[in-house]
Amino acid sequence: MEVIMKPKIERASLFFIFITVLIDVIGLGIIVPVVPSLIMELTGENISNAAEFGGLLMFIYAGTQFIFAPIIGALSDRFGRRPLLLSSLLAYGLNYLLLAWAPTLSWLFLARFLSGITGATMTTASAYIADISTPEKKAQNFGLLGAAFGLGFIIGPVLGGLLGEYGARVPFIAAAILSIVNVTYGYFVLPESLPVDQRRLFEWHRANPLGAIKQIKKLSTVSGLFLVLFILYLSHHATQSTWTYFTMFKFDWDEAMVGLSLGVVGICVAVVQGGLTRIVIPKIGTHMAVYFGIVAYVIGFIGFAFATNGVWMLVMVLPYSLGGFAGPSLQSIVSNQVPSNMQGELQGVITSILSFAAIIGPPLMTQSFSFFSTSDGFYFPGAPFLIGALLSLLALILAGYTLPKPSLSYNSQEERLAKVE
């Protein structure tokens, strides 16, 4: 049973979550263009070898988030979304300060480890969206999170590229300030979305990735979709993990140009997930949106892999961004099969799946880039994007077998709970 809010309150809550994720992603986006430079500063390595360290940093972050996301999700089911969301944002701010003054590479790894433990923003934000959305509007409202990511990567990398001209550490200080502002804003205006009578007890045997997945797999209609989500998330790291390194290496872009290019990606993603999803998905349905989005990813990845110049790289952002129909639609399909007092647990599982993909994805993609950009044999720097295209094709095939029928859903929360129990 979803929380029923008055339309005005619901809009205000959606706006806050949008702003919260937007500011959070701006903070993340600010540091993207300067991470390679900071790694090279601390290690003295070249850009290809710096990519390997960058992949390991993402590995550490994803590994800790994989373990702790279900705990955060379960805690939000017990104590509500508000305290977990605010504490996570505060921890992010402190983490950015640690990164700003990191004297050695080991400090970078420590900071990413700590941020992975407390990185609950998306878990609790997604659960919040599920709490206040009707089944028919979940895909569109989940799309707002994608739009926040898009806009964040318009503002963040551009700002980070410009600030990076004054030093590789300056963007981290700016990100810390944004996080603290976000916490302050949320403390005064964020309402709680999960009523006390809809909360459940915290159970340690469910507050881990395997325990949470085992519990939710009792809802047989969603268990097969976890593999689709994992493969799709894994393919995304072709772009997320190697864009900066690939464009710097192949097109000789500097930090400012990398920031501007990620801004273009952000604009396209924001338009698709913040605007087009609200128009197109109600017309074609969530299932067709999943298929369309995955096919668009395949086209985009292939275009990136064989791009011969920077202009072509930017042109292929258009089909790649249309892939944004897939994620919110899959998330909506899964969420509609789960009762409200398990939404935090579900979003924790989804975050763990995303994090597990991020454990494998960055090393896979950055190592493949490093190998094929320095190899004396087969030279093909676009190899990570080709891997992304193949993974997306696999996700498309699996989706055809695992998506539940559009009409298949529980009629009430009581039926869902009975099924789980």
Side-chain angles (χ1 to χ4, degrees), residues 149-151 153-154 260-273 317 321:
F149 263 87
L151 287 174
F153 272 100
I154 294 170
L260 290 172
S261 70
L262 289 173
V264 172
V265 175
I267 291 173
C268 295
V269 170
V271 169
V272 171
Q273 297 204 11
V317 168
S321 298

Side-chain angles (χ1 to χ4, degrees), residues 14 17-18 21 122-149 233 269 272-274 277-278 281 286 324-337 343 346-347 350:
L14 286 172
I17 292 297
F18 176 82
V21 175
M122 286 306 299
T123 299
T124 47
S126 297
Y128 197 106
I129 292 290
D131 289 341
I132 66 174
S133 303
T134 63
E136 296 79 16
K137 291 185 176 181
K138 280 184 180 177
Q140 299 96 298
N141 289 342
F142 281 134
L144 286 176
L145 299 182
F149 263 87
Y233 288 146
V269 170
V272 171
Q273 297 204 11
T277 55
R278 309 184 77 81
I281 291 178
T286 52
F325 284 108
S329 299
L330 277 169
Q331 200 170 358
S332 172
I333 291 169
V334 173
S335 179
N336 283 336
Q337 309 300 319
Q343 289 295 329
L346 170 66
Q347 300 306 328
I350 292 176

Side-chain angles (χ1 to χ4, degrees), residues 91-146:
Y92 265 133
L94 298 176
N95 175 258
Y96 286 134
L97 291 176
L98 182 59
L99 285 166
W101 280 284
T104 64
L105 188 65
S106 60
W107 280 72
L108 291 185
F109 281 99
L110 174 62
R112 297 313 286 160
F113 175 80
L114 295 175
S115 64
I117 293 176
T118 57
T121 305
M122 286 306 299
T123 299
T124 47
S126 297
Y128 197 106
I129 292 290
D131 289 341
I132 66 174
S133 303
T134 63
E136 296 79 16
K137 291 185 176 181
K138 280 184 180 177
Q140 299 96 298
N141 289 342
F142 281 134
L144 286 176
L145 299 182

Side-chain angles (χ1 to χ4, degrees), residues 67-68 70-71 74-75 200-209 211-212:
I67 296 171
F68 285 90
I71 297 176
L75 286 171
R200 66 177 180 84
L201 294 177
F202 179 85
E203 300 171 284
W204 277 109
H205 73 276
R206 293 170 62 168
N208 64 82

Side-chain angles (χ1 to χ4, degrees), residues 122-418:
M122 286 306 299
T123 299
T124 47
S126 297
Y128 197 106
I129 292 290
D131 289 341
I132 66 174
S133 303
T134 63
E136 296 79 16
K137 291 185 176 181
K138 280 184 180 177
Q140 299 96 298
N141 289 342
F142 281 134
L144 286 176
L145 299 182
F149 263 87
L151 287 174
F153 272 100
I154 294 170
I155 302 169
V158 173
L159 186 59
L162 296 175
L163 291 176
E165 298 293 321
Y166 298 96
R169 299 173 186 271
V170 174
F172 293 97
I173 299 174
I177 293 172
L178 282 174
S179 294
I180 301 302
V181 169
N182 202 8
V183 172
T184 305
Y185 173 55
Y187 180 81
F188 289 104
V189 305
L190 178 66
E192 178 56 62
S193 65
L194 186 64
V196 175
D197 61 356
Q198 292 187 25
R199 300 178 187 179
R200 66 177 180 84
L201 294 177
F202 179 85
E203 300 171 284
W204 277 109
H205 73 276
R206 293 170 62 168
N208 64 82
L210 297 181
I213 290 174
K214 182 179 179 181
Q215 187 69 18
I216 291 178
K217 278 186 68 176
K218 294 178 181 179
L219 298 167
S220 59
T221 54
V222 304
S223 59
L225 295 180
F226 288 149
L227 183 58
V228 178
L229 285 167
F230 169 73
I231 295 173
L232 204 58
Y233 288 146
L234 184 61
S235 73
H236 290 174
H237 283 279
T239 304
Q240 296 174 9
S241 301
T242 64
W243 179 278
T244 300
Y245 303 101
F246 177 79
T247 55
M248 283 183 168
F249 178 83
K250 190 166 185 179
F251 309 129
D252 199 29
W253 288 357
D254 58 14
E255 288 89 347
M257 184 60 202
V258 170
L260 290 172
S261 70
L262 289 173
V264 172
V265 175
I267 291 173
C268 295
V269 170
V271 169
V272 171
Q273 297 204 11
L276 293 182
T277 55
R278 309 184 77 81
I279 299 172
V280 175
I281 291 178
K283 294 183 178 179
I284 68 174
T286 52
H287 287 62
M288 187 58 66
V290 170
Y291 297 132
F292 175 80
I294 297 176
V295 169
Y297 276 135
V298 173
I299 296 172
F301 280 132
I302 293 175
F304 292 151
F306 293 96
T308 56
N309 55 65
V311 173
W312 182 247
M313 194 77 177
L314 294 176
V315 168
M316 294 312 300
V317 168
L318 296 176
Y320 176 80
S321 298
L322 291 175
F325 284 108
S329 299
L330 277 169
Q331 200 170 358
S332 172
I333 291 169
V334 173
S335 179
N336 283 336
Q337 309 300 319
V338 176
S340 58
N341 68 350
M342 288 179 62
Q343 289 295 329
E345 184 175 36
L346 170 66
Q347 300 306 328
V349 168
I350 292 176
T351 300
S352 284
I353 292 172
L354 187 154
S355 300
F356 187 54
I359 292 172
I360 301 173
L364 171 65
M365 300 304 180
T366 55
Q367 293 290 337
S368 65
F369 166 76
S370 180
F371 178 80
F372 286 106
S373 63
T374 58
S375 174
D376 294 329
F378 186 72
Y379 175 81
F380 185 58
F385 300 115
L386 196 57
I387 294 172
L390 294 174
L391 288 171
S392 296
L393 279 174
L394 179 58
L396 181 64
I397 295 170
L398 290 174
Y401 286 100
T402 58
L403 280 175
K405 295 179 179 179
S407 60
L408 185 58
S409 62
Y410 291 102
N411 295 323
S412 68
Q413 179 174 325
E414 289 73 18
E415 288 181 274
R416 298 178 190 178
L417 286 170

